[in-house]
Amino acid sequence: MATNEEITGPISQEDIEAADKLKNEANEYFKKQSYNNAIELYSKAIEKNPKNAVYFANRSIANLRLENFGYALSDASKAIELDRAYTKAYYRRAAAYMSLGKYKLALKDFEFVTKVRPNDQDAKMKYTECNKIVKKIAFEKAISVDKKEVNIADSINLDAMTIEDEYVGPALEDGKVTLKFVTELMEFYKQQKKLHKKYAYKILIDVKAYLQKQPSLVDIKVADEAKFTVCGDIHGQYYDLMNIFKLNGLPSETNPYLFNGDFVDRGSFSVECIFTLFSFKLLFPDHFYMSRGNHETLDMNRMYGFRGERGVGCQFGPDVTNTFLQRNGLDYVIRSHEVKNDGYEVAHDGKCITVFSAPNYCDTMGNLGAFITMNGKDLKPNFTTYEAVPHPDVKPMAYANSFFNMLCQ
């Protein structure tokens, strides 16, 4: 995808008209939330007429919706370069900066807009909200100077916590996760009930202690006739996670799983997802695996909802994939992170596979979800796709940063 097209020579009227037609077609795809198709057409419009700031700004918002924040930033900056007074481009760039954790730069863009358009109430509101975030971060940094960071886990006194008589939910047995516990927990969560905080804290403390002892790279051995399942992003879509287990069976020593990051955020049932996954990790530590995704970070949690719930991308081509595989003696790579209409995509001559397990992402994308199964004998990927299942009437990102929600609507 072109991002820094050079503007050389005059543009014919024919090209201008063709570009505008492509832009209008792209807008229709955007309205249908078919963002990849929209980006492709915006790019063709830019090839015809690289002097139109609107095309870059429109491609920027489409990239924002796909979480291609680096491209969104580049396109918004190009639109501003072409038209210094184009306020929408500043809004787009601010959203990209926010998503990348560059809050001061986002604030600078909003400050510019409020000066250029002093009567723009929306710009004033965005500037005020962004300024609050910048000041809050600065304050948190200031009060933490020269102070040893306190580990919250070390301050929790489980013995002092009592289980009230009225609590009738799942319970740990001798402080341990059992199959009975996790089975009851999943049903409990389906009824939108809450696990007792004593058990929740115990699970968090135990999984933290376990994961801290693990190496950053874990080798998994799969027996020749054994089945192994890889799932992609879950993104807080708890009821779709339950559907995966319904379709493919619960995790067990004979039904191992790998969840490939991005367990939380976006969907509004992240707590339910993470405690279910952590419980299975503690129950079957050698048969249940969790890779850390880009949403398992503080900044992402702050923006997309997990931090608010119960209290940069990089592109590469087949040459990079082949080099990586050759250097590490691997057959192929399975990645996630990116929405695919069919729930998965096979690229780079079959050597780079994307799997995305959150169907109808954010209740808007209309995509299928997918997971991959394979056996140890040949590790050939087999794909299972599925549609979204109903969930309680809680909107996606209900707990997200209000400022970011405002930008992305």
Side-chain angles (χ1 to χ4, degrees):
M1 179 174 62
T3 55
N4 291 311
E5 293 82 353
E6 293 186 3
I7 302 174
T8 58
I11 302 171
S12 68
Q13 185 62 31
E14 183 181 358
D15 280 343
I16 291 175
E17 292 176 358
D20 208 45
K21 183 178 179 182
L22 287 165
K23 183 262 293 183
N24 291 335
E25 291 178 16
N27 287 349
E28 292 303 313
Y29 276 113
F30 184 89
K31 291 176 185 176
K32 297 174 184 175
Q33 294 154 0
S34 183
Y35 301 121
N36 282 314
N37 288 329
I39 287 171
E40 182 179 352
L41 289 172
Y42 287 137
S43 299
K44 290 181 178 179
I46 288 169
E47 290 175 6
K48 294 286 186 182
N49 181 9
K51 294 183 179 180
N52 192 315
V54 173
Y55 304 160
F56 287 96
N58 285 8
R59 192 169 69 177
S60 177
I61 187 62
N63 273 309
L64 277 171
R65 295 293 168 85
L66 290 177
E67 299 187 17
N68 298 330
F69 302 130
Y71 284 123
L73 177 61
S74 177
D75 279 341
S77 295
K78 189 65 178 179
I80 291 169
E81 179 186 323
L82 292 168
D83 184 352
R84 295 289 179 183
Y86 190 17
T87 55
K88 276 190 177 180
Y90 287 92
Y91 287 154
R92 304 286 187 259
R93 190 164 74 175
Y97 277 140
M98 291 292 291
S99 299
L100 293 168
K102 298 181 179 181
Y103 308 111
K104 288 184 179 179
L105 292 173
L107 182 63
K108 189 175 180 180
D109 278 343
F110 284 126
E111 184 178 21
F112 174 84
V113 175
T114 56
K115 288 180 179 178
V116 173
R117 304 182 62 177
N119 296 323
D120 188 332
Q121 295 302 314
D122 184 62
K124 285 184 179 179
M125 181 171 58
K126 287 181 169 68
Y127 172 80
T128 300
E129 290 299 316
C130 186
N131 196 29
K132 287 179 182 177
I133 294 173
V134 171
K135 287 183 176 179
K136 181 180 179 182
I137 293 172
F139 176 74
E140 290 174 348
K141 183 178 179 181
I143 63 174
S144 66
V145 173
D146 297 328
K147 290 184 179 180
K148 184 178 179 181
E149 185 176 348
V150 177
N151 190 324
I152 296 176
D154 295 334
S155 67
I156 296 173
N157 184 356
L158 291 175
D159 294 333
M161 296 182 186
T162 57
I163 308 295
E164 297 80 4
D165 291 339
E166 56 267 27
Y167 177 75
V168 293
L172 298 176
E173 298 180 20
D174 296 324
K176 302 293 183 182
V177 172
T178 62
L179 182 58
K180 179 176 182 291
F181 169 83
V182 71
T183 302
E184 291 180 357
L185 178 65
M186 290 187 291
E187 292 301 317
F188 204 59
Y189 278 154
K190 286 180 185 177
Q191 300 168 32
Q192 295 186 271
K193 297 181 179 179
K194 296 180 181 179
L195 177 66
H196 194 280
K197 66 178 182 179
K198 183 171 184 175
Y199 299 135
Y201 281 134
K202 184 64 166 67
I203 289 171
L204 293 176
I205 291 170
D206 287 354
V207 82
K208 177 177 181 287
Y210 177 85
L211 293 176
Q212 282 184 322
K213 296 177 182 178
Q214 299 303 299
S216 58
L217 178 63
V218 177
D219 288 325
I220 302 173
K221 297 187 183 300
V222 184
D224 283 355
E225 301 305 321
K227 170 186 170 185
F228 191 80
T229 301
V230 180
C231 297
D233 304 41
I234 295 301
H235 276 305
Q237 297 185 198
Y238 178 72
Y239 295 85
D240 293 308
L241 173 62
M242 293 297 97
N243 191 39
I244 291 174
F245 292 153
K246 180 180 178 180
L247 295 171
N248 196 54
L250 290 178
S252 69
E253 293 179 351
T254 57
N255 193 27
Y257 278 81
L258 163 64
F259 280 83
N260 207 21
D262 287 6
F263 321 116
V264 299
D265 288 333
R266 293 294 197 178
S268 292
F269 304 95
S270 294
V271 168
E272 290 86 343
C273 286
I274 203 64
F275 273 103
T276 299
L277 297 177
F278 279 165
S279 295
F280 275 119
K281 181 61 185 172
L282 292 172
L283 184 60
F284 303 115
D286 297 323
H287 300 86
F288 190 88
Y289 302 92
M290 301 171 68
S291 295
R292 185 176 183 175
N294 71 306
H295 277 261
E296 278 66 65
T297 62
L298 180 60
D299 279 344
M300 284 293 194
N301 293 167
R302 179 188 289 120
M303 295 300 298
Y304 290 97
F306 185 47
R307 185 175 180 180
E309 189 176 324
R310 312 304 180 258
V312 174
C314 177
Q315 280 206 348
F316 55 92
D319 55 334
V320 175
T321 299
N322 285 328
T323 300
F324 176 79
L325 296 178
Q326 290 173 6
R327 287 180 178 176
N328 293 279
L330 304 174
D331 294 329
Y332 59 87
V333 172
I334 297 177
R335 62 179 291 273
S336 298
H337 175 65
E338 191 174 4
V339 183
K340 298 297 179 184
N341 287 337
D342 294 326
Y344 71 95
E345 181 183 74
V346 181
H348 300 178
D349 299 320
K351 295 180 180 178
C352 183
I353 299 170
T354 298
V355 58
F356 193 85
S357 300
N360 194 25
Y361 184 42
C362 289
D363 287 355
T364 61
M365 298 294 283
N367 61 290
L368 295 175
F371 57 81
I372 297 172
T373 55
M374 60 188 78
N375 61 52
K377 188 173 184 179
D378 56 19
L379 297 179
K380 180 181 177 181
N382 301 290
F383 303 96
T384 299
T385 61
Y386 49 90
E387 295 181 345
V389 297
H391 63 73
D393 187 20
V394 182
K395 293 182 178 180
M397 294 181 67
Y399 305 93
N401 183 289
S402 59
F403 175 79
F404 188 79
N405 254 333
M406 182 171 57
L407 279 176
C408 289
Q409 288 174 348

